[in-house]
Amino acid sequence: MIHKARLQQHLDQMYALSTIPAVPGINRVAFTEQDWQGRAYLINCLQELGLTLHYDNFGNVVGRYEGLQPEAPAIMLGSHTDSVPQGGHYDGLAGIVAAIEVVTALKEANIRLQTPIDIALFMCEESSRFGSATLGSQAMRGQLTKERLHQLKDKQGLSLYEVLQQRGFNPEAVPSGSYPKPLKAFLELHIEQGLVLEATNHQIGIVTGIAAPTRYKLQVHGTAGHSGATPMNHRHDGLCAAADIILATERIAKASGPVPVVATIGVIEATPGVMNVIPGEVSLGLDIRSISETAKEEATNAILEAIKEISATRQIPIETNLIANEKPLMIHATMLNAMETVAQSHHYNYMTLPSGAGHDAMNWGDYTEVGMIFIPCAKGISHNPAEAINLDDLMAGTEYLLELVQYLDALT
């Protein structure tokens, strides 16, 4: 029922729409022209299937394949349309083309499930433009305030509020625009973005929990000065304070347990940024993740306390501005049992594993049962033009997704 050629055709079409001359990789950055062209192609795919489309004021799109019981809670499938700059071809897109192929296969076989199926195209999952991830699914859950739409800005200084206006949406309606229909389950297929499946020779990963980030923008207010004329004991070097913060962050994350925490300083911007001037102002981007909300909160508090101590010791003011605090998700045992039952009954080569990356799926955990499926990616490489998959793995993942949908449909 699942056609490899159709999966490849969708991937090829999206590739052609997602590249920029002389720029490596996939460049469907949220709300850019490449993202909009890709979104238009995917909307057309939903329309060709005859699905009923629902649009919201964030740009998210949901296509419904009606069931025999139209009022029954639907099973939602989907993933995100956007990419990081110079990213890979399968991040997000693999889950969308798999969802489209599942409905295509059902329709070709003249199969209507009892349960409707929704295919979701989520906008702006990547944090690369506005510094905060999974914004499209947050909008569908009513989790974005008007203040936050104004607060989140890209590197050109455009707020998310302004970008939505430019695309013809009404951002005033976003806070009250949560998805109105009940769901029986939400399922997302995604590339692993890690090495585990490939290294252990498993084709299917059943995700046990999804890590979510807490993110801060840190502003170190050091004092710039002459690099030759300022004695070492009279300096307030912003970059040295930043170095202490970076090392403290690493130390605290390494010491976390029993549930692991990872923490990263991924942005360092020092001013004035010349060799013969002591750095004064320094901006840092701090990202803390875990599949355990408690473990993440404990590590975050420890890092913030370390920053206070560094500020006092070095007599340098340091601002800590929270820009995201997302809730991780542990997958319910009922969904894990269903996923393993399907995998075992159809003899899939699978394993269970946590997701270190955040995904749109985690925003639905308080609304419905959530299941997440991983397929391998070559050498664990993602967010990179070298991101690659074996199409047979995507086909297997899509077949598994179809069988899981049918299994869940049959459950009362």
Short mmCIF file of all heavy atoms in Angstrom, two decimals, residues 341-350:
data_model
loop_
_atom_site.label_atom_id
_atom_site.label_comp_id
_atom_site.label_asym_id
_atom_site.label_seq_id
_atom_site.Cartn_x
_atom_site.Cartn_y
_atom_site.Cartn_z
N THR A 341 3.24 -3.23 20.66
CA THR A 341 2.38 -4.32 20.17
C THR A 341 2.37 -4.36 18.65
O THR A 341 2.51 -5.43 18.03
CB THR A 341 0.95 -4.15 20.70
OG1 THR A 341 0.96 -4.24 22.12
CG2 THR A 341 0.02 -5.20 20.13
N VAL A 342 2.23 -3.19 18.03
CA VAL A 342 2.23 -3.12 16.57
C VAL A 342 3.59 -3.53 16.01
O VAL A 342 3.69 -4.29 15.04
CB VAL A 342 1.84 -1.71 16.09
CG1 VAL A 342 2.02 -1.57 14.58
CG2 VAL A 342 0.40 -1.40 16.48
N ALA A 343 4.66 -3.02 16.62
CA ALA A 343 6.00 -3.33 16.13
C ALA A 343 6.29 -4.83 16.23
O ALA A 343 6.88 -5.42 15.31
CB ALA A 343 7.05 -2.54 16.92
N GLN A 344 5.88 -5.45 17.32
CA GLN A 344 6.14 -6.88 17.51
C GLN A 344 5.27 -7.74 16.60
O GLN A 344 5.75 -8.70 16.00
CB GLN A 344 5.90 -7.25 18.97
CG GLN A 344 6.94 -6.67 19.92
CD GLN A 344 6.53 -6.77 21.38
OE1 GLN A 344 5.50 -7.36 21.72
NE2 GLN A 344 7.33 -6.17 22.26
N SER A 345 4.01 -7.37 16.45
CA SER A 345 3.10 -8.19 15.64
C SER A 345 3.46 -8.15 14.17
O SER A 345 3.18 -9.09 13.43
CB SER A 345 1.65 -7.75 15.85
OG SER A 345 1.46 -6.42 15.41
N HIS A 346 4.10 -7.07 13.73
CA HIS A 346 4.50 -6.96 12.33
C HIS A 346 6.01 -7.16 12.15
O HIS A 346 6.54 -6.90 11.06
CB HIS A 346 4.07 -5.61 11.76
CG HIS A 346 2.57 -5.46 11.66
ND1 HIS A 346 1.86 -5.92 10.59
CD2 HIS A 346 1.68 -4.92 12.52
CE1 HIS A 346 0.57 -5.65 10.77
NE2 HIS A 346 0.43 -5.05 11.93
N HIS A 347 6.67 -7.60 13.19
CA HIS A 347 8.08 -8.02 13.14
C HIS A 347 9.02 -6.90 12.68
O HIS A 347 9.93 -7.12 11.89
CB HIS A 347 8.23 -9.24 12.22
CG HIS A 347 7.33 -10.38 12.60
ND1 HIS A 347 7.50 -11.12 13.75
CD2 HIS A 347 6.23 -10.88 11.98
CE1 HIS A 347 6.55 -12.04 13.83
NE2 HIS A 347 5.76 -11.92 12.77
N TYR A 348 8.80 -5.69 13.21
CA TYR A 348 9.73 -4.60 12.93
C TYR A 348 10.98 -4.74 13.80
O TYR A 348 10.90 -5.17 14.95
CB TYR A 348 9.07 -3.25 13.18
CG TYR A 348 8.12 -2.84 12.07
CD1 TYR A 348 6.76 -3.07 12.19
CD2 TYR A 348 8.60 -2.25 10.91
CE1 TYR A 348 5.88 -2.71 11.19
CE2 TYR A 348 7.73 -1.89 9.88
CZ TYR A 348 6.38 -2.12 10.03
OH TYR A 348 5.52 -1.77 9.03
N ASN A 349 12.09 -4.34 13.24
CA ASN A 349 13.34 -4.29 13.97
C ASN A 349 13.38 -2.95 14.72
O ASN A 349 13.77 -1.93 14.16
CB ASN A 349 14.52 -4.42 13.00
CG ASN A 349 15.86 -4.35 13.70
OD1 ASN A 349 15.95 -4.57 14.90
ND2 ASN A 349 16.90 -4.01 12.95
N TYR A 350 12.96 -2.95 15.99
CA TYR A 350 12.76 -1.69 16.69
C TYR A 350 13.48 -1.70 18.04
O TYR A 350 13.89 -2.74 18.55
CB TYR A 350 11.27 -1.44 16.91
CG TYR A 350 10.68 -2.17 18.11
CD1 TYR A 350 10.56 -1.53 19.34
CD2 TYR A 350 10.28 -3.50 18.01
CE1 TYR A 350 10.04 -2.20 20.45
CE2 TYR A 350 9.77 -4.18 19.11
CZ TYR A 350 9.64 -3.52 20.33
OH TYR A 350 9.14 -4.19 21.41
#
